[in-house]
Amino acid sequence: VVGENLEAAPPIEGKYECHVYDLDGKNDYHYVTIEKTPNHNMYKWTNRAGALWSLKWQSATETFEVQPDCCYHDDGHVRMGVELALHGVVAAVYGPGNERYDRADSHAQGMPAIVGKYENHYYDEGGKNGAHWVSIIWTGERNKYTWQNRHGGWALTWNSLTSTFHVGEDCGYHGDGYKVMRVEEIENNTGKQVSTVYGPGEEPFKRESDQDPGAMPPIEGQYKHASYGQVSIKSTGEPNMFKWTGRGGDAWSLKWQLAMRRFDIGKDCTYYSDGYTTMDWDLGPSGLKVAYVVGKKGERYIRC
């Protein structure tokens, strides 16, 4: 669970939808209702296909344990991940195969389901940076969302009167005229699905068909800068946690934030108070490994 000191179970009751298969293969297993049962700390997962299983909240470990009555239990689905939005509201849960299910009762009827991950392919041949991978996240308030890239984000609000997403004034491009986010939908066997959202400059961001929440860039390795020397990034052994170690033993923690698709820098970093709170990175042409990471002054450390 993304959160701290949760003695009581997060409020997971509600309806959820898996958008991994929006472009192909969606079926009744991808629409889910989670309900509280009369038993203490017990919940029930039910999908439209009629498959159901029990969930138990364990306050000691702050996890929902999937019970053996689940047909995927023997395949390793023994815990259900939960992602919290603002104010402790549950934004998503993670089902079998660690597939993300977004809360479905977070928006008005008729509103395009925009929650998901998107990529701008206009710069695939050159110039691509952290602004070109985007997550649209529910804030926990009805019809309110956040456009989040590796550098920051801005507010989006659905206006049912105009059937448009209004871009918040916190967007750096608002003054340049980017005040409405356009959306494209396609028809498939489950109805209309969002395929593209349009960012600043009307640049298209395509929905990623595979939104594996466990996927992260292969960051481990050795990197080098001509002036600052060599650094190493290694896993700590804890999920999503890494350690940056530089010349002279200067070191700090890194945490992969799947919702924002970025690496957050720990407060143990000497430069955290100077504003170095996230580490940018980029993939090489093959897309198979990280080509460089960005240091405290914006300098690039190239993979050795």
Side-chain angles (χ1 to χ4, degrees):
V1 177
V2 181
E4 296 181 1
N5 301 324
L6 298 175
E7 294 182 1
I12 60 169
E13 300 98 314
K15 297 183 182 299
Y16 298 84
E17 182 178 347
C18 178
H19 294 288
V20 173
Y21 303 94
D22 279 357
L23 303 183
D24 185 39
K26 201 157 187 175
N27 58 47
D28 284 346
Y29 279 81
H30 303 131
Y31 299 89
V32 166
T33 299
I34 298 180
E35 300 173 290
K36 182 80 171 67
T37 74
N39 296 328
H40 181 61
N41 286 344
M42 295 297 294
Y43 298 80
K44 181 173 68 173
W45 168 297
T46 307
N47 61 40
R48 282 188 191 172
L52 57 89
W53 54 81
S54 306
L55 304 165
K56 184 176 183 179
W57 170 250
Q58 295 286 10
S59 58
T61 57
E62 296 183 0
T63 56
F64 285 95
E65 291 185 352
V66 178
Q67 301 303 291
D69 61 346
C70 172
C71 53
Y72 300 97
H73 193 272
D74 290 345
D75 297 326
H77 183 48
V78 296
R79 291 183 181 82
M80 183 188 75
V82 173
E83 186 174 310
L84 299 182
L86 300 178
H87 315 301
V89 176
V90 174
V93 296
Y94 292 91
N98 209 26
E99 291 178 345
R100 177 187 174 105
Y101 286 70
D102 290 291
R103 185 179 284 275
D105 49 6
S106 62
H107 57 265
Q109 186 175 3
M111 191 198 89
I114 59 170
V115 169
K117 299 184 189 298
Y118 299 84
E119 183 175 349
N120 184 338
H121 293 286
Y122 184 80
Y123 301 93
D124 283 356
E125 299 302 319
K128 202 157 189 174
N129 60 47
H132 300 134
W133 285 274
V134 166
S135 292
I136 297 181
I137 309 162
W138 182 43
T139 66
E141 296 182 62
R142 188 172 177 81
N143 297 342
K144 293 183 181 293
Y145 299 82
T146 298
W147 170 292
Q148 184 73 55
N149 59 40
R150 296 182 199 157
H151 303 308
W154 52 79
L156 298 169
T157 303
W158 172 251
N159 187 317
S160 57
L161 295 178
T162 59
S163 296
T164 55
F165 289 98
H166 287 198
V167 176
E169 294 183 5
D170 56 341
C171 173
Y173 303 94
H174 193 272
D176 299 328
Y178 182 54
K179 299 180 179 180
V180 173
M181 182 187 76
R182 195 159 60 88
V183 172
E184 276 187 9
E185 296 178 288
I186 61 172
E187 292 275 359
N188 61 21
N189 60 346
T190 62
K192 289 185 177 182
Q193 306 293 344
V194 173
S195 62
T196 309
V197 296
Y198 286 84
E202 276 292 283
E203 292 183 355
F205 287 71
K206 298 291 185 181
R207 183 188 287 275
E208 295 182 8
S209 58
D210 180 11
Q211 299 182 35
D212 178 7
M216 72 174 73
I219 198 77
E220 288 188 275
Q222 304 290 322
Y223 300 83
K224 191 172 184 179
H225 185 273
S227 300
Y228 297 105
Q230 190 163 313
V231 302
S232 111
I233 298 178
K234 295 182 179 180
S235 171
T236 66
E238 298 179 53
N240 300 335
M241 293 298 298
F242 298 84
K243 183 178 181 181
W244 166 299
T245 304
R247 186 171 58 186
D250 200 13
W252 51 79
S253 57
L254 300 167
K255 183 175 183 180
W256 171 246
Q257 294 286 9
L258 62 94
M260 278 78 77
R261 308 183 80 192
R262 72 185 187 202
F263 287 94
D264 281 355
I265 294 169
K267 293 182 180 180
D268 56 345
C269 174
T270 308
Y271 309 99
Y272 187 89
S273 59
D274 297 329
Y276 183 49
T277 57
T278 62
M279 184 190 73
D280 204 358
W281 52 274
D282 215 338
L283 294 173
S286 69
L288 300 177
K289 65 171 79 172
V290 172
Y292 68 83
V293 295
V294 179
K296 57 187 178 296
K297 296 181 179 179
E299 74 278 11
R300 293 185 180 183
Y301 290 77
I302 309 300
R303 181 181 286 276
C304 298

